[in-house]
Amino acid sequence: MLDAPFQIRPARDHDRRPLAVLFAAVAEERDGIATEPPVDVEARAASWTLDGTLVAVAGAEIIASLHIERSRFGFGEIGMAVAREWRGRGVGSALLAAAIEWARERGLHKLSLSVFPHNAAAIALYRKFGFVEEGRRIKHYRRASGELWDTLDMGLLL
Ligand SMILES: CC(C)(COP(=O)(O)OP(=O)(O)OC[C@H]1O[C@@H](n2cnc3c(N)ncnc32)[C@H](O)[C@@H]1OP(=O)(O)O)[C@@H](O)C(=O)NCCC(=O)NCCS
């Protein structure tokens, strides 16, 4: 099952709950994404912005998602997560490639994102696609633990 192929497609309405469940599971890790538990899954499902969301599916299961929040100013801001058991198998790369295509088709001139400096897998993924570091925000996120985490800003001109 874990070696089954996966497909990338735009998110649909019935993906809302699995998207929120995946998001909540990644938040539980308290490591890669800014959100920490508790996540209100039903509220998150209801409010998920489907426009600009791409999903990776294996069989009937949603194994990853990427959202591009399109600004009025020509850039899009990316957030993404791959289910833990699917990491390191090219899912993130396939999603990011599709996101870049999605953004180009819509005439965006740039993609940007923020990433925690310890997130080596994410930084390697973004660099692989040509994203460059544009700056560092110092002690930007207060975590539930009380720690203050920096973020790196990265961008890709399309
Ligand atoms: C970051 C994340 C999206 C990467 O997705 P993924 O499916 O594991 O990525 P891929 O398998 O496509 O790997 C992409 C590249 O990252 C690098 N990479 C992957 N895992 C790595 C690791 N553990 N350490 C260092 N580099 C790693 C590799 O260079 C790989 O490129 P390759 O094709 O040359 O091998 C995934 O780890 C994740 O969802 N993490 C938790 C949530 C998160 O951190 N989201 C991003 C917030 S900014």
Side-chain angles (χ1 to χ4, degrees):
M1 178 62 195
L2 289 184
D3 290 326
F6 58 87
Q7 282 89 42
I8 308 293
R9 62 161 173 78
R12 302 171 188 146
D13 198 52
H14 68 257
D15 297 328
R16 287 179 177 281
R17 197 162 194 291
L19 278 166
V21 168
L22 171 62
F23 182 80
V26 177
E28 288 286 343
E29 297 175 31
R30 297 186 190 272
D31 184 50
I33 64 172
T35 300
E36 295 182 85
V39 171
D40 182 334
V41 170
E42 301 311 327
R44 179 69 60 160
S47 66
W48 201 286
T49 306
L50 295 176
D51 182 37
T53 298
L54 301 171
V55 294
V57 292
E61 190 193 353
I62 295 211
I63 59 168
S65 75
L66 181 153
H67 180 73
I68 305 166
E69 188 64 38
R70 210 180 339 177
S71 79
R72 292 183 288 128
F73 309 109
F75 67 88
E77 188 84 17
I78 284 185
M80 68 186 296
V82 177
R84 191 195 271 273
E85 60 273 26
W86 277 90
R87 292 178 195 158
R89 296 159 181 249
V91 179
S93 296
L95 265 178
L96 193 53
I100 291 168
E101 194 183 329
W102 185 98
R104 285 200 174 116
E105 282 169 6
R106 283 155 186 81
L108 299 187
H109 75 276
K110 183 176 180 182
L111 289 172
S112 64
L113 56 88
S114 294
V115 58
F116 293 128
H118 64 257
N119 196 344
I123 293 168
L125 168 64
Y126 302 138
R127 283 198 180 126
K128 178 174 140 183
F129 281 86
F131 283 78
V132 296
E133 283 178 31
E134 297 183 330
R136 184 171 184 127
R137 292 175 177 230
I138 306 300
K139 297 190 185 301
H140 204 58
Y141 279 88
R142 181 160 57 213
R143 307 294 288 172
S145 65
E147 290 175 358
L148 300 174
W149 287 6
D150 295 358
T151 58
L152 297 177
D153 286 344
M154 299 184 77
L156 175 72
L157 292 172
L158 297 172

